Structure formats: C-alpha cells, structure tokens
Amino acid sequence: MTQNASPSDVQRLPYAPSDPDATALRCAHVTVDASADAGGLERPWASLGYDEINWTYTPQGRRTLRTIGGFAETPYHVRPHNIFNSGTGLGLPHWGSGNVYHEDADGKPYYDFIIADLTYDAIVGAGHHPLVELAFTPLALVPDEAKTEFPFENSPSQYSAYEAGWWSYPPKDYGKWAGLVGALVEHALERYGADEVQHWLWELWNEPDISYWRGTPEQFHDLYDVTVKAIRDVYPAAHVGGPAVTGGDQGAVFLHGFLQACSDRDLPVDFVSFHTKGSHFTPWRTYGPIGAPAPERQSPSTPKMLREIDRALAVIERFPQYTGAPVIVDECDASVPAHWGIYDNANFAYRNNEYYPVFQAKLMKKVLDLNEQHTAKVHEATTWSFSMEGERYFEGTRSFVTASGIEKPLMNAYRAFAHLRDRRVAATSDQSTDISDISALGNGLPEEVDVIASRSSADGSVAILIWRHTDDQYAEDPDTTRVELAVNGLDSGDWTVEHFRIDRSHSNSHTVWQDLGAPQDPTPEQLAAITARQGLERFADDAELTVDGVAGLELDLPLPSLSLVVLTKVA
C-alpha cells in the first residue's frame, strides 16, 4: 500500500553526504507524490536558435547539433536567421547569408540552394527539425527607396549598406517573394520528404516591430498573406505562423495587430511566436581594459521574462480562434546580445558558469507554472544559444560550447532536462516563489529552492530536478541549504537511486579551466582534463533503497546548484 509522508517522518537514506566544510543553516522541505499524475510533461526547452546560419554546418556546428541530438529525448526545433540574405556564406557574428535568391540580366528569378542544403542537412542529420524563419530581403528585391533613405557611410570595417540594413526593408515585389518562398518549400519536400517536412515550422520574418522591419504593420500583414498562400499552394499541410515580435510594449501592440489582421482575413496561424529577454545590460559594451569589472553589477531578471510572456499570452487569448495554437517563445533568453561576452561587459560572466544552467531550469519550470494560469500555452521556449566560431576560451557568449568545442555548463541543463520522464507528477517545495501575482515579483526572484518531478509511463521510474537559485549572479553564500526530500507513491520493493549535480564543482568545465590558470592555449593534457569534466556528473555513487511506498533523501545545495535524482525500480 502506498503511504503518504511529510519530509520530517520519512526514512533517511545515507546517500548524499553534506560537504564537511559547509554548514546547512537553512532547510527546505520538498515533497514529491509519484502517484499523483499531473498530465504529460511539456518540454519547452526542446528548441534552439542563432543568428549565424553559416555556422550550422561548420565542424563545430555539426558536432554541437549532434551532441544535443545524441542526448535529446525529443527532436529539437532549430531556428537560424538569414536564410534569404544575400552574401558569400561567410559566417560572422550576428550575420549570415543563405544566398538563395538571384535574378538574371532580364530580372528573371533563379535559386541557389547550396547553403540551404548544407544548413538543413546538418539540422535534420542530427535528428532535429528546422523552424524556417523566412527572412530577410535578398539584395535583388531591396526597394529603391532603401538605397536613398538608409543612412550609411562607407567604412573599411563594414561590407556595404546591404549588410548594414537594406535587408530589413519589405521586398519590392511580393510576387517574386512568393515565388522564392514556394521554391524553398518545394525544394525541402523534394530533398527531405513529407515525413520529415511535416515537422517543420514556417515563420515569416523576425522581430518586425523593431528595426528588423522597415515597413509598416500593414505591409507586414500583406506579406504574411502572400507568404502563407505561397507555402500552402506547395504544401497544404505546412505549419505556418508568426510574428516573432519582441517582448516589449511595441511587440505586444504589433502582436495584437497581426492577429487582428489574420482574423479579419481568415488567415491560418498554426503557431504564435514572440520573444523575451531577461536583461539588457547598461552599457552593453564598456570598451574598458581587458578583464575590467562591470561598471554596475547586473543580473538577468526572471520576473521581466515572465511578465512579457504573461502579457503576450493575454493578447493571444483575445482571439479564441488562435488561443489553442502552440505558443513558441522562439527567443527566450536571459540577456542580449548573444555574440557579446565578458570582454564587452563583465556581467556576461554568468554565461560561462553554473549560474546559467540553474537559471534555465528555474525559468523553464516557471514557464510551465505560467501555463497553468492561461488558456494559451507556451509550447517551446527557445534558447538563442549555439556555437561561436573563432572566440577565446570562455568568451562569455551565449553558446553551448566555447573554443575547441568545449561544452559549457549550460549544456548540462539540457542533459538534465532530457532525463525527465514523460508524465509530470505533483511536487512542492516550501521555499519556492509563488508567481501567481507576477506584478509583485519586483526585478528579480529571491533565493528559492524549487522542484519539478516526473514519472515514466513505461517503467515507473521517477526523475526529479531540484535547484537553489537567486536572480543575482554575484550572490555568495558559504553555507548550503539542506533539502529534505520525501518521495511518496512509489511501488514497494528495491529501487536504484542516481544523483547528478550541476554546481561549481560538478558538471563544470569552466571551473576546471579556471583551476588550470585559465589558459588561452591549453596543452593537450589540459584540454583532456577540461573535457573529462564537461558532461553531467554524478554527485555520488549509485545506491539501492528498499521502499514501502515512500523514500527519503537529504541533499545539501550550494548557491547556485541543481540536483537531478533518478529512482528506478529494480527488476
């Protein structure tokens, strides 16, 4: 018989010893009821994106996609910018070019899919599905007014006015744009087949509410109309959507106008997309001495992100015909921009260390909590993180890997997510933050211990993520927080317990690199030492426990840290 127990009266498993040099001054009580099914566990983390489309198919880009595909429990959607940009295919930070569209001397369009094939081959070959962002305007379709009104001064450090901003103007010929879109869809079907392309998402543009779109909202609505028809004429089953606006006030207004226009025209919106960012450090770039401290200590804000998501969901809910469509926050990031790092502003240091993966775990759980408050629900929350070519070791860019393809601690958050099972089960912590009133949360979430738990419908195994975090990357605490974990609703018998950890001393290539003296030309031996510690590491040896309905476990969590506990019934 399954018995219920509070954390104070369960049996103790002598399994996760405290750090002998730390003192647990606080205690959090976490209770999981493995028999209380809370429905299928949505997996909002299963998507990524990036600006630099031409780094998709570099050796490091391919390895990164394959690494994620190797541990991912479900295919990720992958969203790169710039498939329609004109250019040579040279990868640069915050820039790229798919170079698909061209015209002959008579103005007749023709298409070059070489870069598109390299890009989507790498994504699909790693087990993922593209989210095709149909953008931006090719050089041959730039309107004449762009060439007269766009301010640009030639400079040896820039290419041309096209790279500087001509690409952001609406195409001058919507008919030729429709032909381009239809040709890409047709080519994808021929190359990958409908069994694969049925999983692709087709999205018009990126952040049309700001300088990425130098047209009017009405022009954008017209272009969406043209684009949807071009896609559906070739592939009627295609999933189309947008508008990928920013999370600010202007984005919310644009989102409402877009959905209203689609409603008025009876246009399909198979998914609704928008963005949110947790911080815009001031100044973004300091131009100070190398290694200089930040002029002001700043950290990403979880409440800012939740408020922006909450507001966008409320906008969507004004349109019942679109409320049931999946919501994709296809840039959901702790800070912008992705390609700047610690040499621009020292506040970007969190991207290198254990703070970031624990932040991501907290954010994804809070997004799921927010879904409970809305009819419209977030289906994917995309990290704008991938791989940066040519950077220094631990540059601080928003990426899964650093120089030499070394995996940063962020990668291990996604490894931990992949361990979560298919069914969510009830889990509570007496030190979690209530987000039912987002307006009352202030600029940052206070320190908390929170949890998300799951159970496999196949073998009954249970996977639990527990973390300690605060929205202050500079917070220090020499003491740990004791977590008394009670897991109710387990079948009686013998269970194996696994415990994985992300903190300063575990699953953390950055700490190893620092301990080696932060070398920028590591020896083979140093690289071997760093890569040996880059994966998701066990905190303790596996243990076995005889259970009669309930299991107890004690954890000591430093700040910040995340524990993954997996319980599997012994056959």
Side-chain angles (χ1 to χ4, degrees):
M1 175 181 295
T2 297
Q3 67 185 68
N4 290 319
S6 68
S8 61
D9 60 13
V10 297
Q11 57 183 314
R12 291 292 164 217
L13 176 66
Y15 167 65
S18 302
D19 181 343
D21 298 323
T23 303
L25 298 182
R26 291 166 299 278
C27 186
H29 300 98
V30 174
T31 302
V32 173
D33 187 347
S35 65
D37 186 278
L41 177 58
E42 289 288 335
R43 317 192 89 78
W45 50 80
S47 58
L48 64 93
Y50 44 95
D51 300 274
E52 302 84 4
I53 191 170
N54 306 107
W55 292 347
T56 306
Y57 47 86
T58 64
Q60 181 165 294
R62 291 177 184 272
R63 283 194 298 270
T64 302
L65 289 171
R66 288 197 302 266
T67 295
I68 296 171
F71 65 69
E73 73 282 29
T74 187
Y76 279 38
H77 272 124
V78 179
R79 177 186 184 254
H81 283 338
N82 302 324
I83 185 61
F84 286 160
N85 286 26
S86 300
T88 64
L90 175 66
L92 297 170
H94 209 256
W95 178 255
S97 52
N99 201 46
V100 175
Y101 184 84
H102 307 275
E103 294 183 2
D104 63 19
D106 297 323
K108 181 180 179 180
Y110 65 97
Y111 312 109
D112 175 6
F113 293 111
I114 289 175
I115 293 174
D117 290 347
L118 288 169
T119 299
Y120 299 133
D121 284 358
I123 294 170
V124 173
H128 309 298
H129 304 307
L131 189 161
V132 183
E133 178 197 294
L134 299 164
F136 296 100
T137 297
L139 179 59
L141 292 180
V142 171
D144 292 338
E145 62 265 25
K147 302 174 184 179
T148 58
E149 72 183 31
F150 184 78
F152 178 79
E153 185 173 334
N154 286 324
S155 164
S157 62
Q158 298 186 61
Y159 275 76
S160 73
Y162 175 72
E163 285 82 5
W166 283 359
W167 51 267
S168 60
Y169 282 79
K172 65 182 179 183
D173 187 322
Y174 280 19
K176 289 181 176 179
W177 173 271
L180 167 62
V181 170
L184 180 62
V185 177
E186 183 176 21
H187 182 76
L189 285 168
E190 290 174 352
R191 188 171 185 86
Y192 304 103
D195 287 347
E196 166 59 30
V197 179
Q198 67 175 321
H199 301 292
W200 293 26
L201 302 178
W202 304 86
E203 176 185 61
L204 176 63
W205 223 258
N206 176 72
E207 298 184 349
D209 57 304
I210 59 172
S211 58
Y212 283 85
W213 174 259
R214 297 181 189 271
T216 65
E218 292 73 24
Q219 287 175 303
F220 185 84
H221 304 157
D222 291 342
L223 190 61
Y224 183 76
D225 196 335
V226 167
T227 301
V228 167
K229 290 174 181 175
I231 295 170
R232 290 287 181 87
D233 283 348
V234 176
Y235 185 40
H239 301 289
V240 296
V245 292
T246 66
D249 294 339
Q250 192 169 325
V253 171
F254 196 103
L255 175 61
H256 185 277
F258 170 78
L259 294 177
Q260 185 65 63
C262 291
S263 177
D264 293 343
R265 302 183 189 198
D266 195 26
L267 292 174
V269 181
D270 299 316
F271 62 92
V272 183
S273 58
F274 58 85
H275 300 163
T276 182
K277 309 293 180 178
S279 53
H280 176 163
F281 297 144
T282 304
W284 267 0
R285 177 172 283 165
T286 62
Y287 290 99
I290 297 296
E296 178 185 350
R297 288 187 169 190
Q298 301 171 66
S299 297
S301 168
T302 308
K304 176 184 182 294
M305 302 179 75
L306 295 177
R307 281 191 284 267
E308 291 178 348
I309 295 171
D310 179 70
R311 177 172 53 186
L313 293 178
V315 170
I316 297 167
E317 288 166 349
R318 298 174 196 168
F319 299 89
Q321 67 269 50
Y322 303 130
T323 298
V327 173
I328 301 180
V329 191
D330 53 13
E331 291 185 26
C332 186
D333 298 302
S335 65
V336 290
H339 61 296
W340 289 3
I342 58 174
Y343 303 107
D344 301 291
N345 186 317
N347 287 313
F348 289 119
Y350 80 89
R351 294 172 172 176
N352 285 330
N353 59 38
E354 65 277 7
Y355 185 92
Y356 197 13
V358 186
F359 180 94
Q360 285 298 96
K362 176 176 70 173
L363 176 63
M364 293 300 134
K365 195 268 183 176
K366 301 302 184 190
V367 167
L368 292 175
D369 288 347
L370 196 59
N371 276 350
E372 298 300 313
Q373 303 176 26
H374 284 275
T375 305
K377 299 184 185 299
V378 175
H379 182 67
E380 294 180 10
T382 304
T383 179
W384 204 249
S385 304
F386 183 51
S387 167
M388 295 282 174
E389 299 284 338
E391 68 174 20
R392 290 161 282 195
Y393 286 86
F394 296 97
E395 185 94 13
T397 56
R398 200 167 64 226
S399 54
F400 285 104
V401 299
T402 185
S404 296
I406 293 171
E407 297 170 11
K408 294 159 71 173
L410 175 64
M411 185 79 84
N412 290 319
Y414 289 79
R415 283 194 171 95
F417 294 152
H419 280 273
L420 290 174
R421 277 34 180 182
D422 60 316
R423 306 297 299 178
R424 191 172 182 180
V425 296
T428 60
S429 167
D430 67 355
Q431 288 194 20
S432 64
T433 303
D434 182 8
I435 66 164
S436 57
D437 184 1
I438 298 177
S439 63
L441 294 178
N443 292 325
L445 287 188
E447 183 180 328
E448 68 168 4
V449 172
D450 206 357
V451 59
I452 186 169
S454 61
R455 188 165 190 168
S456 169
S457 58
D459 64 7
S461 59
V462 175
I464 306 164
L465 290 184
I466 305 174
W467 57 88
R468 180 186 176 202
H469 197 269
T470 181
D471 277 2
D472 180 0
Q473 65 171 311
Y474 296 100
E476 295 182 359
D477 188 351
D479 302 313
T480 61
T481 289
R482 171 68 49 81
V483 177
E484 295 186 352
L485 169 64
V487 186
N488 300 309
L490 296 175
D491 298 336
S492 297
D494 294 332
W495 290 73
T496 298
V497 184
E498 301 170 275
H499 184 185
F500 303 86
R501 171 66 65 82
I502 302 172
D503 61 19
R504 192 184 186 285
S505 303
H506 300 86
S507 311
N508 198 327
S509 58
H510 180 248
T511 303
V512 179
W513 176 75
Q514 287 182 315
D515 290 345
L516 291 171
Q520 285 297 339
D521 184 19
T523 66
E525 293 76 17
Q526 289 174 324
L527 281 174
I530 296 168
T531 56
R533 301 290 307 283
Q534 68 183 359
L536 186 62
E537 294 184 316
R538 278 175 162 76
F539 183 72
D541 294 335
D542 295 352
E544 288 198 4
L545 177 67
T546 300
V547 173
D548 185 13
V550 62
L553 185 65
E554 290 185 351
L555 313 173
D556 285 344
L557 293 180
L559 180 71
S561 62
L562 177 150
S563 275
L564 166 66
V565 177
V566 181
L567 299 98
T568 305
K569 186 83 172 348
V570 177

